[in-house]
């Protein structure tokens, strides 16, 4: 009987369950979108119970569709939208409030206070991160400050905090196990990435009781067995965890120092492997843990773009100008340029390199001749321009000039986007054969832990290119377009 690793990819807009065979091929995939809540300007929330239910649904679907049983799984790997913060009652397993999503800005006033108190350097030195509502720490404080009775319960040890990985392990293990992995811990603003422990000073500053924090484990080991009641009557090892961006770096086999990938999902995240050295950024990048495996922790530099594919969702769901995300490709290709239009999708502020949580979206260059196609194209182009901003920071910090870019994520199905990306970066862009790289990374981590795969070298040999997009644009055009983008961003930031 064939055996599989089951990867659970719990993303910002959808949950996926994917079956991988021993050749690392996708044998089955099920996906479900779930509800996004936008209760106030700049706030984004999820219902953690809806997330759990969507995960159960997609697992059931993928097993059923492919007529495999839960007992055919050798291991489960989990990868997740990072930073999104869930706090739940330890005894009932019920969340005390919605999950506060990584994009959400409700803890901006807390961040402002920390910055005003001159704490930026302390946080950056210990965590590699910046003080920004993006990270979990200030979200936890916000929840404990705003949900009635929460702080008292947390102090009494009755509440648990977790990112989505912790929440899913807790649920899959029948409420027995409360853990996370290095990659997810490194996004909380509470974890010392050099000493590899929760930082008591930072927990005190943010008034987070350490009793509510999960144990931090490596990214590849058996953490727990599934509870038969939560997993189709079977006990299967949960054996790999990584935040989705680190999982994508692993799935793209970027195991060598200097290798980088860019993932275009809801947001867009570029990570460069820096090996066992935690490189400090001077250009607005984050220093983060790439993974902990085989008793060793490796680091990455990261550029974070908050709005990428979600700008395309906004065209679809918010403005109703396209019916499907994929329509953005033919519409963009139907015109020869964006005709001077720039869309700066700073819907929840701007990440790398600006870290401006007050900025909001803007559109420039509209004329009576601007068509829907120009508008859609300008929105799609904004993903590529934001990536160029990140690449510039990455090259400045690492001293490495990019020779090519490996890409993945939902929006890389869009050939127009990848061609424009190559043109605006002036480097070739390579799309791998397996686009579900995030899930593949989680599957690899779990499969390595249980001996389904032997070494990373085997995984490196598996990487296959689907298509390369080479540079076609002349330098003069590239420079002019990018100058326009920079002017648009500066004007957006000035409007407050
Ligand atoms: N053909 C396409 N062109 C542009 N964007 C797309 C396309 N297909 C999907 N997307 C965008 O990609 C995102 C989904 O990618 P995915 O990797 O599943 O994201 P996440 O893991 O953040 O949920 C959505 O925001 C969607 O708008
Ligand atoms: O859900 P994604 O793929 O956009 O990823 C979200 C990131 O993990 C946020 O840091």
């Amino acid at each position: 009987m064939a055996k599989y690793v089951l990867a659970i990819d719990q993303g910002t807009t959808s949950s996926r369950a994917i079956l991988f065979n021993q050749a690392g091929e996708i044998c089955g995939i099920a996906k479900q979108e779930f509800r996004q809540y936008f209760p106030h300007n700049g706030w984004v929330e999820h219902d953690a119970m809806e997330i759990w239910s969507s995960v159960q649904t997609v697992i059931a679907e993928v097993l059923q569709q492919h007529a495999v049983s839960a007992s055919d799984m050798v291991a489960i790997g989990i990868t997740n939208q990072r930073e999104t913060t869930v706090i739940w009652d330890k005894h009932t397993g019920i969340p005390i409030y919605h999950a506060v999503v990584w994009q959400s800005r409700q803890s901006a006033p807390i961040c402002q206070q920390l910055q005003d108190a001159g704490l930026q350097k302390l946080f950056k030195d210990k965590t590699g991160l910046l003080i920004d509502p993006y990270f979990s720490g200030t979200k936890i404080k916000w929840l404990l400050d705003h949900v009635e009775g929460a702080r008292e319960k947390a102090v009494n040890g009755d509440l648990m905090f977790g990112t989505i990985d912790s929440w899913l392990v807790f649920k899959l293990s029948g409420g027995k196990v409360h853990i996370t992995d290095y990659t997810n811990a490194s996004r909380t603003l509470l974890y010392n990435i050099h000493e590899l422990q929760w930082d008591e000073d930072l927990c005190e500053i943010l008034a987070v009781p350490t009793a509510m924090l999960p144990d931090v484990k490596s990214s590849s080991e058996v953490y727990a067995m599934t509870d038969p009641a939560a997993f189709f009557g079977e006990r299967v090892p949960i054996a790999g965890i990584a935040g989705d961006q680190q999982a994508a770096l692993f799935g793209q086999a970027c195991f060598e120092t200097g290798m980088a990938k860019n993932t275009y999902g809801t947001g867009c995240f570029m990570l460069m492997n820096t090996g066992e050295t935690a490189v400090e950024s001077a250009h607005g990048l984050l220093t983060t843990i790439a993974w902990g495996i085989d008793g060793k922790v490796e680091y990455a530099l990261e550029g974070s773009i908050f709005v990428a594919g979600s700008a395309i969702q906004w065209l679809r769901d918010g403005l109703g100008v396209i019916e499907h995300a994929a329509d953005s490709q033919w519409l963009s290709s139907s015109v020869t340029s964006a005709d001077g239009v720039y869309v700066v999708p700073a819907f929840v502020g701007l990440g790398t390199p600006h870290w401006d949580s007050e900025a909001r979206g803007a559109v420039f260059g509209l004329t009576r001749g601007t068509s829907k196609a120009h508008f859609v194209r300008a929105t799609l182009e904004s993903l590529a321009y934001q990536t160029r901003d990140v690449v510039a920071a990455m090259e400045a910090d690492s001293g490495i000039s990019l020779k090519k870019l490996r890409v993945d994520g939902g929006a890389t199905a869009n050939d127009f986007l990848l061609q424009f990306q190559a043109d605006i970066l002036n480097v070739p862009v390579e799309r791998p054969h397996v686009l579900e790289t995030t899930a593949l990374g989680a599957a690899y981590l779990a499969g390595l832990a249980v001996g389904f795969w032997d070494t990373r070298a085997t995984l490196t040999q598996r990487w296959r290119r689907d298509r390369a997009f080479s540079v076609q644009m002349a330098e003069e055009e590239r420079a002019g377009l990018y100058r326009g983008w920079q002017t648009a961003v500066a004007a957006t930031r000035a409007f407050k």
Side-chain angles (χ1 to χ4, degrees), residues 98-115:
H98 277 166
V100 180
V101 176
W102 57 275
Q103 293 173 313
S104 203
R105 305 275 103 189
Q106 60 251 66
S107 60
I110 300 174
C111 293
Q112 192 58 56
Q113 282 166 10
L114 297 173
Q115 277 157 358

Side-chain angles (χ1 to χ4, degrees), residues 432-450:
H433 186 62
V434 176
L435 263 191
E436 297 287 350
T437 319
T438 301
L440 181 62
Y444 279 166
L445 288 164
L448 285 169
V450 297

Side-chain angles (χ1 to χ4, degrees), residues 174-326:
K176 290 193 195 71
V177 178
H178 184 213
I179 54 126
T180 187
D181 88 305
Y182 288 129
T183 65
N184 279 291
S186 75
R187 315 296 298 184
T188 58
L189 210 62
L190 298 172
Y191 193 70
N192 191 312
I193 61 167
H194 311 287
E195 294 172 4
L196 302 180
Q197 57 187 2
W198 296 115
D199 193 284
E200 286 187 12
D201 295 341
L202 302 185
C203 290
E204 202 175 305
I205 292 168
L206 285 169
V208 174
T210 48
M212 70 191 296
L213 302 175
D215 286 344
V216 184
K217 305 283 186 184
S218 80
S219 312
S220 177
E221 65 177 274
V222 176
Y223 314 102
M225 302 299 283
T226 53
D227 177 357
F231 195 73
F232 313 100
E234 292 297 329
R235 285 170 54 77
V236 174
I238 306 170
I241 299 180
D244 55 11
Q245 303 309 321
Q246 286 91 335
L249 191 70
F250 204 85
Q252 288 268 31
C254 291
F255 301 137
E256 306 290 326
T257 301
M259 291 183 81
K261 66 86 206 178
N262 198 28
T263 302
Y264 302 70
T266 304
C268 194
F269 301 87
M270 184 170 171
L271 269 72
M272 179 184 278
N273 184 332
T274 62
E276 289 178 63
T277 313
V279 176
E280 198 185 323
S281 172
H283 299 88
L285 299 172
L286 308 171
T287 308
T288 204
I289 297 182
W291 43 70
I293 183 169
D294 299 334
K296 220 171 57 182
V297 160
E298 293 177 61
Y299 296 88
L301 271 174
E302 170 175 325
S304 316
I305 296 165
F306 295 149
V307 173
S310 59
I312 310 304
Q313 278 180 324
W314 167 72
L315 294 176
R316 186 192 66 185
D317 306 335
L319 303 186
V321 293
I322 52 174
E323 199 179 338
H324 305 287

Side-chain angles (χ1 to χ4, degrees), residues 9-14 16 31 102 244 263-267 308-313 316 325-329 380 383 409-414 417:
D9 179 358
Q10 205 304 297
T12 311
T13 55
S14 68
R16 290 181 180 77
K31 171 178 165 178
W102 57 275
D244 55 11
T263 302
Y264 302 70
T266 304
S310 59
I312 310 304
Q313 278 180 324
R316 186 192 66 185
D327 296 340
S328 60
Q329 175 165 332
L380 204 47
L383 278 60
T412 57
N414 192 312
L417 169 65

